[in-house]
Amino acid sequence: MSREGLIVALDFDSASHARALVEQLGDLASFYKVGLELYAAAGMEFVRELLRRGKRVFLDLKFYDIGETVKRAVAQVAHSGATFATVHGSSAVMHAAVEGRAGSPLKLLAVTVLTSFDEDDLRDLGYPCRVEELVELRVRKAMEAGLDGVVCSPLEVTSVRRLAGPRAILVTPGVRSAGAAAGDQKRVATPGDALRGGANYVVVGRQITRAPDPRAAARQILNEIEAARTG
Ligand code: C5P
């Protein structure tokens, strides 16, 4: 069974909770996403622990700041040995991020429009456009800025793939196996749908991390990934 394609989101409030899940999953998962909660709780020390355990790390901190700050923060992430990092998809931020990772293998992914945002949220920001229009604009800008890929909803992955081209790395959270609880997510698709639509990686959190049997839940997702790749 290929482990490639699954990123497990370590949305935990402490290193010890996250570590317990990593140990439980063992060789079923080799790529982990560290987001704001765990980063705030356990910081780069836990990122380095994952790397020492031979895991790959997606550091999902969605940087958005003045260029110099983004550049310097990305340089720190690049030195850490993380594989993926996210920045918001504004051109100034993305150009700074590309400068910051210069010479390192860190892959930079753009957050186009937060998937929790709808048109009212965009209007609140002062952007009088449809969500799809802003996603499209930001995907194009991300590719122009030299980013490696995009984080997107599985429901928009087909159009993002068309815009971003065959080499872009597309990572889709918001996936659930058919029949699994959707939690607070409203717009979900299955891992198979995401991959068939053009995603390279799916990010799965609670379906695995809050499962009574996380290993069984991970196996189910890996089987679905395999079926989508060979089907
Ligand atoms: O819902 P689940 O627990 O699988 O979410 C996994 C991760 O994906 C979380 O870290 C969450 O922040 C992220 N996510 C996202 N966009 C969504 C849904 C979830 O970035 N639409």
Side-chain angles (χ1 to χ4, degrees):
M1 202 187 326
S2 165
R3 273 74 174 129
E4 183 63 20
L6 171 62
I7 301 175
V8 178
L10 287 175
D11 295 322
F12 289 104
D13 60 5
S14 70
S16 58
H17 286 134
R19 186 178 301 123
L21 193 270
V22 171
E23 286 174 353
Q24 198 176 2
L25 290 179
D27 62 1
L28 286 177
S30 59
F31 206 158
Y32 286 97
K33 180 167 93 72
V34 174
L36 289 173
E37 183 190 12
L38 183 58
Y39 188 80
M44 287 307 285
E45 198 171 317
F46 187 71
V47 169
R48 282 189 285 270
E49 176 179 330
L50 285 171
L51 295 168
R52 276 198 304 275
R53 288 172 182 260
K55 306 300 182 188
R56 288 192 291 162
V57 174
F58 169 10
L59 196 52
D60 184 21
L61 302 181
K62 299 185 179 70
F63 288 145
Y64 186 80
D65 209 316
I66 62 168
E68 182 66 10
T69 301
V70 170
K71 183 174 96 179
R72 296 174 71 90
V74 167
Q76 288 302 315
V77 175
H79 290 145
S80 76
T83 300
F84 291 167
T86 43
V87 300
H88 276 276
S90 104
S91 289
V93 169
M94 295 190 290
H95 283 292
V98 167
E99 269 187 60
R101 69 94 184 264
S104 89
L106 177 70
K107 303 288 187 207
L108 292 168
L109 307 176
V111 175
T112 55
V113 178
L114 293 173
T115 49
S116 57
F117 275 22
D118 61 16
E119 222 165 293
D120 287 340
D121 295 301
L122 294 191
R123 242 194 317 276
D124 178 68
L125 287 171
Y127 304 149
C129 65
R130 290 186 301 121
V131 172
E132 306 84 72
E133 287 169 331
L134 191 54
V135 169
E136 181 175 332
L137 175 75
R138 290 193 162 172
V139 171
R140 278 198 281 107
K141 298 267 182 200
M143 295 301 113
E144 282 167 21
L147 264 70
D148 302 284
V150 175
V151 180
C152 63
S153 155
L155 301 178
E156 65 199 19
V157 71
T158 308
S159 57
V160 171
R161 171 60 71 198
R162 211 168 27 239
L163 290 164
R167 284 204 304 279
I169 301 168
L170 303 189
V171 177
T172 55
V175 295
R176 285 288 178 282
S177 299
D184 58 358
Q185 296 217 14
K186 298 184 189 91
R187 305 197 312 136
V188 294
T190 67
D193 290 338
L195 292 168
R196 280 187 293 271
N200 303 98
Y201 295 87
V202 294
V203 175
V204 181
R206 288 162 293 179
Q207 187 184 334
I208 293 175
T209 58
R210 305 299 192 260
D213 183 349
R215 288 184 65 83
R219 273 200 209 91
Q220 178 180 356
I221 302 271
L222 290 170
N223 285 335
E224 291 177 45
I225 290 173
E226 186 126 313
R229 291 219 162 125
T230 56

